[in-house]
Structure formats: C-alpha cells, structure tokens
Amino acid sequence: RNMAWNSAANVLSGDKTINEERVTEAKEHVRDGLSRNVSEVLAAAAPLDSDMRKKAVSLAEAVCQQLEPFILHKGNVPPRTTKKRNRRGQQLPATSRESKGKAASDSASEAPGQGAVDYSLLLKWVNLKSSQDTGSSNSKTGNFHEVKMYPWIGAFIKYVADQLVKAVADSPPPKTPRQLETFRKADVVAIDADDWRRVDMALTQCLDSPQRDDRSDDVFTYAQSAALIEVKRYETEETAAFDQLALYTPYLYATQVNRRFAWGLTICGTHVRACLFIHDNILASEVMDVATEPGRKQFVTLLVNWAMCESQRLGYDPTIR
C-alpha cells in the first residue's frame, strides 16, 4: 500500500512540475514573442480569392446594417415602412405587394432571442462600458466575475453567424460560408488534453462545410476548435489573457495534425484582439472595441472573413486530410 501511495505521489508531483513548466514557457513566449497593434493581422483573415474577398466585405456590411439598429433600439428594431399619402395628406391603403414587403421587413427586423439563444444578451456586452466601471479590477462598481460575460459574447457571435446566413440567402456567394459559433459549454476542461485547466470559450471548428461535429454541442475538445478565446473582466488584465491564450494554444497543434498556425481571441471588457500564433511569435491586432460602432464593424468583419476564407487562411494545411 505504501508503494502505491508513493507511486501516485510521484505521478502527481510530475504532473505539477510539467504544468508549472508549461506556464513558465507560455509567459516567456508572450514576453519575448508578442507584438501588439499589428495592423496586418486582421487583413490576414480575408479570403485570398478577390471575388470572395469583395463578397465578404458586402456581407459584413449587411450584418452590421442589422446589428446597429438592433443595438440602438435595445433589441426592438422597428420595421422600415414608407406611408404613402394623397394630395390632401391622407394615408393611402397599402397594396398587396407592399403588405408582403412589410411582412418580410417585420420578419427580417424581428428581435432575435426567440430561438435557442437570447441575442439580447449581446447588449450587455456592448453596453458594458456605459453601465459598469471597467477601469480597475479593484473597483467595487460593477465588480463581477468574467464568467457572466461568456453568454453575452456567445450571443454576439451567434447573432453574427445567423445574420450572415440571412445575408447569404439574399445574395448567395460562390461558396457556402462556415457557420462559426462558440461551443455551447464554456469554462470547461477539454476532454482531449492532459491538462486540468479550464478554457473560457472557443469557436467550433468548421473547415469547408457548414456542418459541425455533433459532439461540439455537448463537450469541449481542442480537436474541434477553430480558435480559442480568453476572456477577462477588465481591460487592465490583457497581459494575463495573452499568457493564458499562449498556454492553451499548443493543444490545437497537438490535436490537429493539419494545423500550420493558429488564431485566438483575447477579450478584456469590451476590448477584443485577434491573435495570430506563427512559429515562435504572437501577432496581436489593434483593439476592436465593441462598445463603439467602428470596433463592432471590425469584429464583425473578422468573423465574416473567418466564415468566408479558405482553409489555409484559418491555419490549416489543405494538403493534409
């Protein structure tokens, strides 16, 4: 019995040492290899094909045209109608064609959240700055754990994915876009890693098919991840977010044999950065502040580009199956 206990203690001690080494390596990777505010990072997500790149731009614009009124009216978007009047100023009855158009408009502008995901949760994220104090982790005002932000962020990404589907239906592109969404479960341990650490969020892996692996709805795996997401409550915790993202990302390489480089996101408060892990370097984009309209447009464009781009732009080697 003593020998068994000693053996178990040695295994646990070895695991602890390995995990400590991984943490140290990740912090050194960030310290020595991180470059912030690299403008080329967001451009690296755009499709290589010129026609698809133009299409992605127009689709991102279409998604933003739905998103901004949704935010402005707090989830209740009024239908766009034009009332016709006669010379006396009296309102004329709508024709049958106009009635059909109004019904379509109502359907298009219907407040999301009636389905499986409550899209109105995204309002809490984009309005975080105006309703809470994000300036200091010691602040008592609005001081809550980052876990509360997970469904808000997931709702934003899901909203973009669903609006992209609608935009594609109106104007089909040459290739069906991926349906990139977050895993249903957040703050979980991956079942395909020798690590007990919990990953905040991740985008599901979809290569050139809109179909996802059914397992992605129930469990979290690195093998099914397209990009990992590290979330922090405050913008001042950005370095810690980079450290943790650098700690988890090697598992993408370990579980995906066709991966050449990896994407990731750090989300600190309303500040989003896209991270590109290439060889020994980490390239981080400029801040996309979802509390502002320009920042939201940048983030939406990134998500649309990831949905529209070629597999190699996501980091996969197309010659390996």
Side-chain angles (χ1 to χ4, degrees):
R1 181 178 296 179
N2 289 335
M3 292 179 62
W5 279 112
N6 290 335
S7 178
N10 290 335
V11 170
L12 293 175
S13 177
D15 288 344
K16 181 179 180 181
T17 301
I18 292 173
N19 286 328
E20 289 175 350
E21 291 176 350
R22 288 173 177 171
V23 171
T24 300
E25 289 176 359
K27 289 183 177 180
E28 291 177 350
H29 192 185
V30 171
R31 184 191 65 198
D32 300 332
L34 173 65
S35 297
R36 288 180 170 91
N37 301 320
V38 180
S39 58
E40 293 81 3
V41 169
L42 296 181
L48 292 169
D49 181 80
S50 59
D51 292 335
M52 289 295 289
R53 189 161 57 248
K54 292 177 182 177
K55 189 65 178 179
V57 171
S58 63
L59 289 173
E61 187 65 32
V63 172
C64 289
Q65 287 176 357
Q66 295 297 322
L67 175 63
E68 292 308 317
F70 180 75
I71 294 173
L72 179 63
H73 297 282
K74 299 181 180 180
N76 298 307
V77 183
R80 298 177 180 176
T81 58
T82 301
K83 297 181 180 179
K84 292 186 178 181
R85 299 181 181 275
N86 59 20
R87 294 180 180 178
R88 297 180 180 179
Q90 298 172 328
Q91 183 179 336
L92 297 175
T95 64
S96 59
R97 178 177 297 182
E98 290 170 341
S99 298
K100 291 180 181 179
K102 181 182 183 299
S105 175
D106 289 344
S107 176
S109 61
E110 181 180 345
Q114 305 302 320
V117 176
D118 183 2
Y119 298 145
S120 65
L121 290 174
L122 70 85
L123 299 174
K124 294 186 177 182
W125 185 32
V126 301
N127 292 318
L128 184 62
K129 254 183 182 172
S130 61
S131 61
Q132 304 289 354
D133 179 10
T134 59
S136 170
S137 59
N138 296 322
S139 173
K140 294 182 179 180
T141 306
N143 191 12
F144 58 82
H145 197 270
E146 65 201 35
V147 172
K148 287 190 66 175
M149 296 172 59
Y150 299 162
W152 308 348
I153 297 165
F156 188 103
I157 294 173
K158 174 66 173 170
Y159 181 91
V160 173
D162 283 355
Q163 290 299 328
L164 178 59
V165 170
K166 293 181 181 179
V168 166
D170 293 336
S171 179
K175 185 185 74 172
T176 303
R178 305 172 187 87
Q179 196 165 351
L180 291 176
E181 303 171 9
T182 57
F183 282 86
R184 184 173 297 177
K185 291 186 177 181
D187 190 34
V188 291
V189 177
I191 65 172
D192 55 352
D194 60 341
D195 197 324
W196 50 266
R197 293 180 179 85
R198 308 174 77 87
V199 177
D200 291 345
M201 303 178 73
L203 292 177
T204 56
Q205 178 186 356
C206 307
L207 297 181
D208 288 322
S209 170
Q211 303 300 323
R212 292 181 298 154
D213 188 315
D214 290 339
R215 295 194 313 157
S216 65
D217 284 338
D218 302 318
V219 298
F220 166 65
T221 66
Y222 286 110
Q224 293 293 321
S225 299
L228 304 180
I229 305 173
E230 180 60 32
V231 181
K232 295 296 181 186
R233 170 65 180 89
Y234 300 99
E235 293 148 13
T236 54
E237 299 177 284
E238 190 176 70
T239 299
F242 284 127
D243 288 344
Q244 288 187 260
L245 196 60
L247 177 62
Y248 305 142
T249 298
Y251 286 106
L252 295 185
Y253 294 98
T255 57
Q256 301 177 23
V257 297
N258 62 334
R259 186 169 281 285
R260 299 172 60 190
F261 59 87
W263 286 93
L265 291 173
T266 60
I267 299 179
C268 302
T270 60
H271 285 189
V272 181
R273 287 188 193 262
C275 299
L276 199 55
F277 290 80
I278 51 173
H279 304 295
D280 293 331
N281 298 322
I282 306 172
L283 306 180
S285 72
E286 298 169 325
V287 169
M288 297 172 278
D289 190 351
V290 297
T292 68
E293 184 174 345
R296 290 192 291 269
K297 184 174 182 179
Q298 285 181 305
F299 189 35
V300 168
T301 300
L302 173 66
L303 295 174
V304 171
N305 279 338
W306 277 346
M308 301 290 293
C309 70
E310 298 82 359
S311 297
Q312 54 264 40
R313 297 292 261 182
L314 288 180
Y316 301 108
D317 187 338
T319 65
I320 301 176
R321 297 293 180 182

